[in-house]
Amino acid sequence: MTNRSGILFAAVGATVAGLVTAAPSPASADSDAQRVAPLKWTACSTRSSPTLQCATVRSPLDHDDPSGRQVTLALTRVPHTAKTFQGPLLVNPGGPGGSGLSMAGFVADSLPKAVAAQYDVIGFDPRGVGRSRPALDCVPKYFDPVRPDPVPHSLRDEQVNRDRARGFAAACGEKYPGLLPYMDTVSAAEDLDVIRRATGSRQLNYLGYSYGTYLGAVYAKLFPDRVRRLVLDSNVDPDGVWYDDNISQDYAFDTRHKAFAAWVAKYDATYGLGSDPAKVEAAWYRMREAVRKHPAGKKVGAGELDDTFLPGGYYNGYWPALAGAFAAYVNDKDDKALVKAYERFGAVDAEGDNGYSVYSAVQCRDARWPADWNVWRNDSRRVHAKAPFMTWGNTWYNAPCADWPVEPLNPVRVSNHRLPPVLLFQATDDAATPYEGGVTLHRKLKGSSLVVEEGGANHGVTLSGNDCLDRYLTDYLAKGTVPRGKGGDVDAVCAKTPDPKPPTAKLARPASRTDANDRGSTLHGLLGFRG
């Protein structure tokens, strides 16, 4: 991934766009056939979200057959309390396959109270996910340890993983033959419009992270007149859906793994793994080889180790915990520390099984993947030679798409000139959705504004402790204002959130709810680790 540090940014100015503070009009433009029964909200409060409400809405499995089979979508809401009502704000954590029910409470709690009070903040489980019904789980416990090493050491090793991925695809087809043809981003975007209609609002507001940016862009392409405000954070490259985007991730995550090694080397006094980043990285790969031969605690093999350290590429707030486990294993032969880290960061539960099933179903259906396995093999070997950290693991994660039992669709061309101003956020060194994708989407959405976290590398950057970024988000949601640069691709720049430091007695104190580190950890726990 290209290092964007030091690139020349344009001057920034703010303009008011799409300022509407009156209550949005009812969905009067919807035809009788399009109308949906109003939502029936019931209290489902939690300790952190005392005003949280829950509801469900029915949506056509096949939107071309609205009177046919239905799916049920689960929703949560923190209702508005201010006199000024700006309508529903739908929030999505990404995936595909991520549950959004907890996002409503998090977003409402993280925004300034005066702004959050003007919206009905609505979280939702997309079709197939979580509490929505039916929910997918193609192969329960598919990721249980100890799995075969993702990196093949022979053609036989490769065939073992190939058969495993092919078996997953076959199981999905056998279990959900009537559902898989309708597990795709276009269908999920049309579900968003069902939710909008059920709220009674003529337009919706939307905040999406990661894959949620692609979902939002597709919705905007299908229903441009229904978009009021659109915030897209950590943007999927719409030109790479999905095979090329995954190859871009391979390089970017390897860069982040090297950044982790450099951070560990910087704090050699704490971790005792050496002050040379290259030697720290080499020590990590020696650890990987050791657990490949003898899994730590009979639970953490090479694949499980990869899964444990992958979240550090999404969010550097996990680095201190990961470095501690790394050091404990290397310096003290402590298997328990590595197992504990795996259970925290890498282990997949039933929710994860569901998420992976939906991820596969949507990505394999959305776009065409190479039909010739030799393409996968040759690309993986080529990329692995330069970026070994996650290339083969990512290959096998997506390999069911090589044998998916449903024919793929053509990706949506998201270029759009019919929208009100859209606000995009992107970190320059984001690994899951590399920087170039944010620029591409910005160019495709005419009139959009791009706010960049210069030197930032986390995936999901707003409401994560960076006050500069959050001011742009708040101004947009409150008043519709967006920054405008004087030419170029970037409209505003924020300094990156500082890297973490190793724990000390002072740093290890319990974080308050307003602590930036606490907000970042909470957000990234909701976003998950696969986009």
Side-chain angles (χ1 to χ4, degrees):
M1 178 178 153
T2 303
N3 187 335
R4 295 282 167 173
S5 179
I7 59 178
L8 194 60
F9 291 108
V12 176
T15 61
V16 175
L19 176 57
V20 179
T21 54
S25 302
S28 55
D30 292 328
S31 67
D32 289 339
Q34 291 177 312
R35 286 178 183 146
V36 180
L39 296 168
K40 296 180 180 179
W41 296 101
T42 60
C44 58
S45 62
T46 66
R47 180 177 298 179
S48 58
S49 300
T51 63
L52 193 70
Q53 300 172 338
C54 291
T56 60
V57 65
R58 303 274 283 173
S59 185
L61 173 66
D62 177 359
H63 285 276
D64 290 334
D65 181 17
S67 61
R69 182 182 171 188
Q70 305 283 297
V71 297
T72 300
L73 307 176
L75 313 175
T76 55
R77 177 179 76 165
V78 176
H80 75 283
T81 55
K83 291 182 179 179
T84 298
F85 176 43
Q86 301 212 48
L89 172 61
L90 273 63
V91 293
N92 179 270
S99 170
L101 297 184
S102 298
M103 285 292 292
F106 171 79
V107 170
D109 191 47
S110 299
L111 288 170
K113 291 182 179 179
V115 176
Q118 297 177 28
Y119 288 92
D120 283 348
V121 184
I122 296 176
F124 60 98
D125 277 353
R127 58 174 53 203
V129 175
R131 295 184 189 174
S132 292
R133 293 292 180 268
L136 275 67
D137 190 351
C138 297
V139 181
K141 301 184 178 180
Y142 182 71
F143 290 97
D144 275 11
V146 174
R147 307 192 314 275
D149 184 357
V151 180
H153 296 265
S154 66
L155 287 176
R156 183 180 179 278
D157 289 347
E158 182 181 323
Q159 192 61 48
V160 167
N161 277 304
R162 177 88 171 93
D163 290 343
R164 193 167 177 272
R166 186 186 286 116
F168 183 90
C172 287
E174 292 169 4
K175 200 169 184 178
Y176 303 108
L179 187 60
L180 293 188
Y182 308 103
M183 291 298 300
D184 59 88
T185 299
V186 169
S187 294
E190 291 182 299
D191 289 342
L192 294 186
D193 207 57
V194 171
I195 297 172
R196 175 196 63 79
R197 285 179 260 150
T199 68
S201 179
R202 186 177 64 84
Q203 293 180 306
L204 61 73
N205 309 281
Y206 179 87
L207 166 60
Y209 292 87
S210 191
Y211 164 78
T213 66
Y214 184 64
L215 177 60
V218 170
Y219 178 83
K221 182 67 174 183
L222 299 178
F223 305 100
D225 297 335
R226 300 304 186 194
V227 175
R228 182 172 177 271
R229 292 193 184 140
L230 184 64
V231 184
L232 306 178
D233 183 330
S234 303
N235 296 278
V236 166
D237 184 343
D239 286 346
V241 175
W242 288 110
Y243 185 77
D244 290 344
D245 279 349
N246 275 278
I247 289 178
S248 297
Q249 284 185 335
D250 295 340
Y251 289 110
F253 271 101
D254 196 77
T255 297
R256 290 308 298 154
H257 192 56
K258 286 178 168 58
F260 167 68
W263 182 86
V264 174
K266 178 180 178 180
Y267 295 105
D268 179 47
T270 298
Y271 298 111
L273 291 166
S275 58
D276 182 343
K279 291 182 178 179
V280 172
E281 186 181 18
W284 190 90
Y285 281 102
R286 287 195 298 273
M287 175 175 66
R288 188 184 190 282
E289 179 63 13
V291 299
R292 182 181 77 86
K293 294 178 179 178
H294 303 287
K298 298 182 179 180
K299 185 177 284 189
V300 182
E304 289 73 30
L305 187 78
D306 294 345
D307 292 349
T308 301
F309 281 80
L310 181 64
Y314 285 85
Y315 176 54
N316 62 13
Y318 299 140
W319 285 1
L322 292 171
F326 178 16
Y329 181 84
V330 172
N331 296 330
D332 304 323
K333 312 302 180 188
D334 186 352
D335 280 12
K336 292 181 180 179
L338 213 52
V339 170
K340 184 177 180 180
Y342 163 71
E343 290 173 344
R344 176 181 175 186
F345 295 111
V348 176
D349 56 13
E351 181 181 349
D353 285 337
N354 166 240
Y356 178 61
S357 295
V358 174
Y359 171 95
S360 300
V362 173
Q363 293 219 343
C364 297
R365 176 66 166 150
D366 264 358
R368 190 166 298 280
W369 296 70
D372 183 353
W373 182 251
N374 288 320
V375 175
W376 294 70
R377 174 191 294 121
N378 293 336
D379 282 343
S380 297
R381 288 176 175 175
R382 172 179 55 84
V383 177
H384 176 83
K386 296 180 179 179
F389 173 59
M390 70 166 271
T391 296
W392 274 105
N394 205 22
T395 295
W396 300 123
Y397 199 82
N398 293 284
C401 294
D403 298 283
W404 201 246
V406 180
E407 279 295 306
L409 303 170
N410 292 318
V412 175
R413 297 181 181 274
V414 301
S415 297
N416 207 321
H417 63 276
R418 297 177 57 192
L419 298 174
V422 174
L423 187 59
L424 311 179
F425 291 91
Q426 191 71 41
T428 54
D429 297 334
D430 181 357
T433 52
Y435 178 82
E436 289 77 9
V439 173
T440 297
L441 187 60
H442 176 37
R443 292 171 180 171
K444 288 180 179 294
L445 302 183
K446 185 176 180 180
S448 63
S449 291
L450 177 61
V451 179
V452 169
E453 186 183 18
E454 166 73 351
N458 290 332
H459 180 63
V461 294
T462 58
L463 304 182
S464 188
N466 188 312
D467 291 340
C468 174
L469 296 170
D470 288 352
R471 279 195 295 274
Y472 287 110
L473 173 64
T474 298
D475 287 347
Y476 180 66
L477 292 178
K479 299 174 291 185
T481 57
V482 295
R484 294 295 189 197
K486 296 181 179 179
D489 285 317
V490 177
D491 295 286
V493 182
C494 292
K496 74 170 188 175
T497 303
D499 287 341
K501 294 182 179 180
T504 65
K506 182 177 180 180
L507 290 173
R509 74 191 189 283
S512 70
R513 286 183 58 79
T514 58
D515 188 287
N517 291 332
D518 183 52
R519 285 176 57 191
S521 294
T522 301
L523 173 64
H524 290 89
L526 294 173
L527 299 187
F529 306 135
R530 281 283 178 174

